[in-house]
């Protein structure tokens, strides 16, 4: 794999929402961070590799929470199978190693999180639609997210299918703790960290520091604020003044994604066909 | 050491109707599928499952009506989608799911293995997972620190695992690969342990790599040689998952009838494991899987 | 190593106390048991090997709590170094493996225990003589014994230097729980298992089932009851009637110990020079 | 990954007077002795030690007046006898010992590593170890089972470990050998980690055996290449303990003066690690140790 990238690369003329989302997520990770991914996480995996190839060569990647600094080649069809952690420096044992390091608080402080439902205070649900004991829809289950929301991590949500069904006023079930009821409720429970950013196919949102209510930070080029509002199950806060436009990826970022990181286009599997 | 080698059919007799079965599994990885098929063929009923992340094994057992409860982190076949028969059974009330975070499941099993009444985690605080679960409760730190979630010990009746090689006495070895925690903790927490293995070898072969042995034979009740025993899930580094069979299942499992026909063809129909391997494509297909040609 | 032994072997004509103690300890372990040893444990290590070569070929030995079923050759100078677990089937990781298996309650149910002080109710002390915070003598420390006395194990004490200093009325500090104050005190704390046998260079003792007080079970050939009483820091209970004589090892047992198991005589290092 | 390679002297600057130092050690095995000698040479004071089973390292540090407290399971040099300078210092009140059972020490460190206020064990119940220790207390099981001993989290300031090979970024590998728990847990519980290694290798060498890597480099603050860095303790499978040096120490350590002379000759005297190796017998002696000719 080629190392580094031209820092002065111009904005791409030709980019797609998946590539823009990857660039935004990549920008959340820096040298000195450690990043890991779970299953069906094509965008985060691409983002970690993009960061390493450009601004954050010393970002440490734990592929699938298993393989330390692998050399995987093009993104394979699964982000939780052996091809992803080819030539790793270490096979991280899950409980004694991975969870101990994750719980500790000094490492692996940022997580990319996908969720079936995310609400206005950043609470996530991968458990059930409807009642827990008699669900209307049984979702896959919260797995590690049930921990990550409570152990001081900074959470970066990604959502390739921004819709009123996935961004809801209130989740049916809190399976990953965000800011709970908002304000200082999370803090009062002694929880640190919390949701930082929500990156969707339409826009980037963050959380207003006092109320902890989700807030529109930027819309992607070509997307209007009205489109975002129509696609969201609640009213996100709006910034004072003009809403910013998300910077597009650089030409070099797009080249790296298309030619080096994901030539087979696995990243597009996450997007619902329209 | 005592010899524990036996057949799939004999080993399955260690699993009774109603048992809580700890099942090695990730979404598309390393599940003891040959033993799962044997349990379906023998029409076990009212089983509970304990799993980190259940995949096609859970969906087949649900479709076959073998299970009525599930304790674990998640059920998913990753890129192949949701486990539809399982999901429908939960929605219909035929299967109860106890959903745990990863640290909570490991704490419950860890306590079971170590004969402790509970272990603690700081995960899940603030979520709805605690209040709905009688096996979780908040407790104070006696030293004045923050409260923690106590997770009640979990002791499955039997654990099913699949390994790369074992000797006749049930000493279990893995080749270098991802080390998921179910293999480490489930066999120690469960009352009985059934091991299937790609290969039975002489004990002296194990002595050449003692650091790869993960379970001593005295923990194991039965060991069965079943090459390709994890198919259609992957078993690194030996073979990848069978994507075509996963896709065929997902298509069939849209309906109860489709699922039943699929199970008839691939699980009830084949008289034994060799016939199953022939039914899913035989030698040429299996050779492709060793090269990770998933689809 | 030769397998098995002649079951009809006659009593040895020529034996020493170390060999007799090894034979007695060997008799405590059977097929289906799992045995492990700690450091400076020559007599238990010899006993496990003797049992495996004679009446208990399926006894499982975890050498040094590390090496499963090794082929160590003659007993080396240390019972907690790599030469002891040569050619093992498994290197048992200490916390996740060994302690999990030991705590479980289904495996490793018998332990051979050495202690600086052992009292009339089978409480052991490897911690301090005198006050814990200002000790007259700081002993090595209780290590795993601090656990083994409380987690349902059957404890087999061995003591090659039977004296009023090592067998005392009351230990200065309970670092390994025996029957505590005797009677049902142990049971009332919810503890199962407990001390089973004390094998010394003079005699074999057990614990009277009601009072849990140490009781003389047999004296070794050539040792008198009076000698035992004079060497003991309290009065052990005596059996009704004649005190039995400890059976001597068989000729085959002695041969195995001398020629196969411990040709370098490491077992005698545990005995104080007189 | 960031490069962490440095010298013994630089690495030692990560240890301050008063620090609580977690030290890899068994009775005669696998202690980071080169780093221990460096701390003695730099005359660190008021250190605490956390050890499973301390051996000659603890006795040297005690004799040199570097330590004032010890938390652990035991201190012993097995067949070479008690650690006399350490023992005398405890009896004189110059060193405080917090004695823990094995499960209690692992619970304290495990809680420290996992940012939990405590973990529990069923060991020690009925012993006097609990009442004398403010870091241990009995608590009830909230699910109605038996009570357990809560063990308060322990977070050392720095952990010292020695390994077979590492790369410049501090990724740490062990050859197949006994797996003591201190290597697994201490570096994750401690605030800083110093690794000495028999050999610095290219990262690509580690990639050939990823299952042998036990610590990722991001956990490590400094890595120093020190061949024979565990001498005079053993470092399986590379070399056995130096029995002659252990015996010489035990003889010298009968008196304070003898101990001081010994340390002068073997620790303060040699200008660097190479000089130390020459002082203890040089190449021919070291070659004998690779053949386990201990005495």
């Amino acid at each position: 794999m080629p190392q580094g990238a031209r820092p002065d690369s111009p904005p791409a003329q030709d980019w797609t929402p998946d590539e823009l989302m990857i660039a935004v997520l990549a920008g959340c990770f820096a040298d000195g961070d450690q990043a890991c991914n779970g299953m069906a996480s094509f965008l985060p995996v691409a983002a970690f590799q993009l960061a390493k190839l450009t601004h954050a060569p010393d970002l440490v990647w734990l592929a699938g929470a298993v393989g330390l600094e692998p050399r995987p080649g093009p993104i394979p069809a699964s982000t939780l199978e052996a091809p992803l952690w080819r030539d790793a420096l270490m096979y991280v044992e899950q409980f004694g190693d991975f969870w101990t390091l994750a719980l500790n608080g000094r490492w692996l402080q940022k997580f990319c999180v996908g969720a079936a439902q995310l609400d206005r205070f950043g609470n996530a649900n991968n458990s059930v639609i409807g009642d827990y004991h008699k669900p209307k829809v049984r979702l896959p289950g919260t797995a590690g997210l049930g921990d990550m929301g409570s152990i001081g991590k900074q959470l970066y949500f990604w959502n390739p299918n921004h819709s009123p069904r996935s961004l809801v006023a209130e989740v049916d079930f809190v399976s990953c703790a965000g800011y709970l009821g908002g304000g200082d409720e999370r803090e009062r429970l002694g929880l640190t960290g919390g949701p930082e950013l929500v990156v969707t196919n339409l826009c980037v949102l963050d959380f207003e520091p006092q109320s902890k209510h989700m807030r529109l930070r930027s819309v992607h080029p070509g997307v209007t604020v009205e489109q975002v509002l129509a696609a969201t199950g609640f009213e996100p806060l709006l910034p004072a003044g003009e809403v910013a436009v998300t910077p597009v990826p650089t030409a070099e970022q797009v080249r790296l994604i298309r030619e080096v990181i994901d030539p087979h286009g696995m990243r597009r599997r996450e997007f619902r066909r329209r | 050491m005592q010899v524990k080698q036996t057949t799939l059919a004999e080993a399955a007799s260690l699993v009774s109707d109603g048992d809580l079965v700890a099942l090695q599994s990730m979404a598309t990885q390393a599940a003891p599928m040959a033993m799962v098929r044997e349990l379906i063929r023998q029409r076990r009923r009212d089983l509970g499952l304990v799993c980190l992340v259940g995949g096609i094994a859970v969906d087949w057992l649900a479709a076959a009506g073998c299970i009525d409860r599930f304790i674990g982190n998640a059920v998913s076949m990753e890129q192949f989608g949701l486990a539809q028969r399982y999901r429908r059974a939960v929605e219909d009330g035929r299967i109860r799911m106890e959903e745990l975070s990863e640290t909570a499941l490991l704490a419950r099993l860890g306590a079971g293995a170590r004969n402790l009444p509970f272990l603690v985690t700081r995960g899940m605080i603030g979520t709805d997972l605690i209040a709905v679960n009688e096996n979780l409760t908040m407790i104070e730190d006696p030293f004045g620190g923050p409260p923690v979630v106590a997770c009640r010990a979990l002791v499955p009746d039997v654990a099913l695992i699949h390994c790369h090689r074992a000797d006749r006495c049930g000493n279990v070895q893995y080749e270098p690969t991802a080390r998921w925690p179910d293999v480490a903790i489930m066999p120690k927490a469960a009352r009985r342990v059934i091991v299937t293995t790609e290969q039975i070898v002489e004990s002296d072969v194990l002595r050449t790599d003692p650091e790869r042995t993960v379970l001593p034979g005295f923990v194991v009740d039965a060991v069965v040689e079943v090459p390709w025993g994890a198919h259609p899930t992957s078993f690194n580094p030996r073979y990848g998952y069978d994507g075509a069979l996963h896709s065929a299942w997902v298509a069939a499992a849209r309906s109860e009838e489709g699922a039943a026909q699929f199970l008839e063809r691939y699980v009830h129909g084949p008289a034994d494991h060799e016939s199953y391997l022939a039914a899913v494509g035989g030698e040429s297909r299996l050779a492709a899987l060793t090269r990770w040609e998933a689809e």
Side-chain angles (χ1 to χ4, degrees), chain B residues 131-150:
Chain B
V132 296
N133 193 328
E134 64 183 10
N135 298 312
L136 306 174
T137 190
M138 300 289 296
I139 62 172
E140 294 301 313
D141 171 27
F143 303 108
V148 292
V149 185

Side-chain angles (χ1 to χ4, degrees), chain A residues 38-42 64-66 77-83 85 90-95 97-99 103 126-128 132-151 171-177 180 189-191 269, chain B residues 26-29 52-53 73-79 82 86-88 90-93 97-104 106-107 114 121-130 132-133 147 176-181 184 233-236 239-241 292 295:
Chain A
M39 58 179 153
S41 302
F42 299 106
V66 168
S78 163
T79 62
L80 205 66
E81 281 276 2
W85 48 81
M90 174 179 184
Y91 290 151
V92 172
E93 186 271 323
Q94 283 291 296
F95 188 56
D97 285 338
F98 175 75
W99 276 108
L103 289 165
N126 274 334
S127 299
V128 288
Y132 176 81
H133 296 289
K134 294 183 179 174
K136 184 157 164 283
V137 180
R138 175 71 243 185
L139 297 166
T142 185
L145 302 189
D147 297 302
M148 293 305 178
S150 307
I151 57 173
V171 288
D172 287 52
F173 187 89
V174 179
S175 51
C176 173
L180 306 171
L189 277 182
L191 304 181
R269 291 196 174 189
Chain B
M26 289 298 289
T28 53
Q29 259 171 78
L52 268 74
V53 179
N73 298 147
V75 180
S76 162
M77 291 182 282
E78 206 191 356
Q79 73 267 37
L82 292 173
Y86 167 77
R87 172 182 162 178
R88 182 58 56 90
V90 175
E91 289 161 6
D92 290 353
M97 180 178 186
E98 176 184 336
E99 183 177 342
L100 295 165
S101 77
E102 285 190 34
T103 63
L106 295 169
R114 298 187 180 102
T121 179
R122 289 271 300 158
M124 303 180 300
I125 294 175
T127 73
D128 291 336
L129 291 162
I130 302 172
V132 296
N133 193 328
T177 184
R179 290 175 288 174
W180 304 112
T233 64
S234 67
F235 201 56
N236 309 313
Y239 46 91
Y241 54 86
W292 277 89
E295 285 158 297

Side-chain angles (χ1 to χ4, degrees), chain B residues 15-84:
Chain B
V15 183
S16 304
D17 285 355
D19 272 359
L20 186 59
V21 178
L23 184 75
Q24 176 186 359
S25 169
M26 289 298 289
T28 53
Q29 259 171 78
M33 295 303 299
M35 185 55 60
V36 165
R37 285 189 290 274
E38 185 66 26
L39 293 175
I40 294 174
R41 275 195 294 270
Q42 294 198 11
R43 300 190 186 279
R44 286 288 177 288
R45 286 295 175 270
D46 308 323
L47 299 179
L49 292 183
V50 183
C51 248
L52 268 74
V53 179
I56 199 167
V58 176
D59 216 18
W60 284 6
L61 286 162
C66 299
I67 57 173
D68 65 9
R69 58 206 192 278
F70 177 92
I71 303 173
N73 298 147
V75 180
S76 162
M77 291 182 282
E78 206 191 356
Q79 73 267 37
F80 302 103
L82 292 173
Q84 300 166 93

Side-chain angles (χ1 to χ4, degrees), chain B residues 15-290:
Chain B
V15 183
S16 304
D17 285 355
D19 272 359
L20 186 59
V21 178
L23 184 75
Q24 176 186 359
S25 169
M26 289 298 289
T28 53
Q29 259 171 78
M33 295 303 299
M35 185 55 60
V36 165
R37 285 189 290 274
E38 185 66 26
L39 293 175
I40 294 174
R41 275 195 294 270
Q42 294 198 11
R43 300 190 186 279
R44 286 288 177 288
R45 286 295 175 270
D46 308 323
L47 299 179
L49 292 183
V50 183
C51 248
L52 268 74
V53 179
I56 199 167
V58 176
D59 216 18
W60 284 6
L61 286 162
C66 299
I67 57 173
D68 65 9
R69 58 206 192 278
F70 177 92
I71 303 173
N73 298 147
V75 180
S76 162
M77 291 182 282
E78 206 191 356
Q79 73 267 37
F80 302 103
L82 292 173
Q84 300 166 93
R85 300 328 302 163
Y86 167 77
R87 172 182 162 178
R88 182 58 56 90
V90 175
E91 289 161 6
D92 290 353
R94 285 174 286 134
I95 295 177
R96 273 176 297 123
M97 180 178 186
E98 176 184 336
E99 183 177 342
L100 295 165
S101 77
E102 285 190 34
T103 63
L105 178 57
L106 295 169
R108 291 203 64 197
L109 287 167
R114 298 187 180 102
N115 200 19
L116 296 168
F118 67 95
L119 278 170
V120 301
T121 179
R122 289 271 300 158
M124 303 180 300
I125 294 175
T127 73
D128 291 336
L129 291 162
I130 302 172
V132 296
N133 193 328
E134 64 183 10
N135 298 312
L136 306 174
T137 190
M138 300 289 296
I139 62 172
E140 294 301 313
D141 171 27
F143 303 108
V148 292
V149 185
C151 308
R152 191 202 300 251
L154 176 61
V155 177
D157 294 297
V158 57
L160 311 182
I161 68 165
H162 186 66
C163 70
H164 293 101
R165 56 189 191 179
D167 64 12
R168 280 174 238 285
C169 303
N171 295 293
V172 166
Q173 237 176 37
Y174 278 80
E175 292 173 10
T177 184
R179 290 175 288 174
W180 304 112
D182 43 8
V183 173
I185 198 70
M186 283 175 174
K188 293 165 195 150
R191 294 188 178 91
R192 298 183 294 285
V193 178
I194 300 174
V195 174
T196 54
T197 179
E198 290 289 312
Q199 200 179 0
I200 297 263
V201 297
E202 292 300 317
S203 299
D204 279 358
V205 175
L206 304 187
R207 292 183 200 275
T208 61
D209 296 298
E211 79 282 6
R212 294 186 182 174
T213 306
V214 303
L215 277 184
F218 59 79
V219 168
V220 172
D221 296 277
V223 59
V224 187
E225 186 178 68
V226 195
W228 299 94
H231 183 278
T233 64
S234 67
F235 201 56
N236 309 313
R238 296 215 177 179
Y239 46 91
Y241 54 86
D242 189 330
L245 201 74
H246 271 83
S247 295
W249 167 251
V250 169
R254 286 196 193 105
S255 71
E256 215 166 303
E257 300 69 37
Q261 282 165 17
F262 184 100
L263 291 184
E264 193 51 43
R265 176 170 173 191
Y266 290 109
V267 179
H268 293 290
D272 53 23
H273 184 63
E274 285 64 39
S275 311
Y276 166 81
L277 294 179
V280 300
E283 277 183 31
S284 64
R285 176 64 185 151
L286 298 175
L289 297 181
T290 64

Side-chain angles (χ1 to χ4, degrees), chain A:
Chain A
M1 267 201 186
Q3 291 296 314
R6 294 182 303 242
D8 56 348
S9 176
Q13 296 303 311
D14 161 34
W15 54 268
T16 52
D18 49 291
E19 291 155 352
L20 180 141
M21 288 178 70
I22 290 168
V24 172
L25 287 171
C28 301
F29 289 82
D31 275 346
D33 286 340
Q34 303 88 32
C36 82
N37 65 279
M39 58 179 153
S41 302
F42 299 106
L43 297 190
V45 164
F48 303 152
Q49 297 196 58
L50 182 60
K52 290 172 68 65
L53 290 171
T54 55
H55 65 281
D58 285 339
L59 170 66
V60 175
W61 176 33
L62 216 48
V66 168
L68 178 67
E69 290 287 275
R71 294 169 172 164
I75 298 185
S78 163
T79 62
L80 205 66
E81 281 276 2
L84 194 76
W85 48 81
R86 206 177 67 186
D87 292 331
L89 284 168
M90 174 179 184
Y91 290 151
V92 172
E93 186 271 323
Q94 283 291 296
F95 188 56
D97 285 338
F98 175 75
W99 276 108
T100 301
L101 296 173
L103 289 165
N104 182 285
R106 279 184 297 148
W107 307 294
L108 292 157
Q109 284 301 85
K110 297 176 178 176
F111 275 84
C112 289
V113 182
Q117 283 188 332
L118 181 66
D119 76 14
R120 65 198 195 282
F121 293 120
N123 304 298
N125 177 16
N126 274 334
S127 299
V128 288
I129 306 293
D131 180 72
Y132 176 81
H133 296 289
K134 294 183 179 174
K136 184 157 164 283
V137 180
R138 175 71 243 185
L139 297 166
T142 185
L145 302 189
D147 297 302
M148 293 305 178
S150 307
I151 57 173
K153 304 304 174 191
Q154 293 159 40
L155 305 180
Y156 296 83
F157 290 89
W158 88 99
N159 178 347
N161 304 295
H162 191 140
S163 83
R165 285 180 57 198
S166 57
L167 285 158
V168 299
E170 194 166 342
V171 288
D172 287 52
F173 187 89
V174 179
S175 51
C176 173
Y179 293 108
L180 306 171
D184 65 352
E185 188 176 334
R186 183 179 170 88
E187 221 177 310
R188 279 187 279 120
L189 277 182
L191 304 181
T192 56
E196 283 281 318
L197 220 58
V198 183
V199 182
T200 81
N201 55 322
L202 300 180
C203 65
V204 178
L205 303 116
D206 61 11
F207 295 85
E208 191 277 316
Q210 296 310 312
S211 65
K212 306 295 187 188
H213 195 287
M214 209 185 288
R215 176 174 70 179
L216 186 59
R217 182 155 149 173
S218 67
V219 290
H220 300 343
V223 177
T224 65
V225 172
E226 289 65 37
Q227 281 175 302
V228 170
L229 295 179
T232 308
F234 58 93
E235 260 189 68
L237 297 177
L238 296 178
E242 198 92 348
V243 174
V245 174
T246 316
V248 302
T250 67
E252 176 67 357
Q253 286 178 317
V254 170
R255 186 190 69 79
L256 286 168
I257 294 169
R258 292 182 187 177
E259 295 178 14
V260 177
I261 297 170
D262 185 29
H264 304 321
M266 293 296 170
R267 64 195 179 277
R268 287 189 291 272
R269 291 196 174 189
E270 294 194 26
F271 291 77
R272 201 167 293 139
R273 288 181 199 89
R274 287 149 200 264

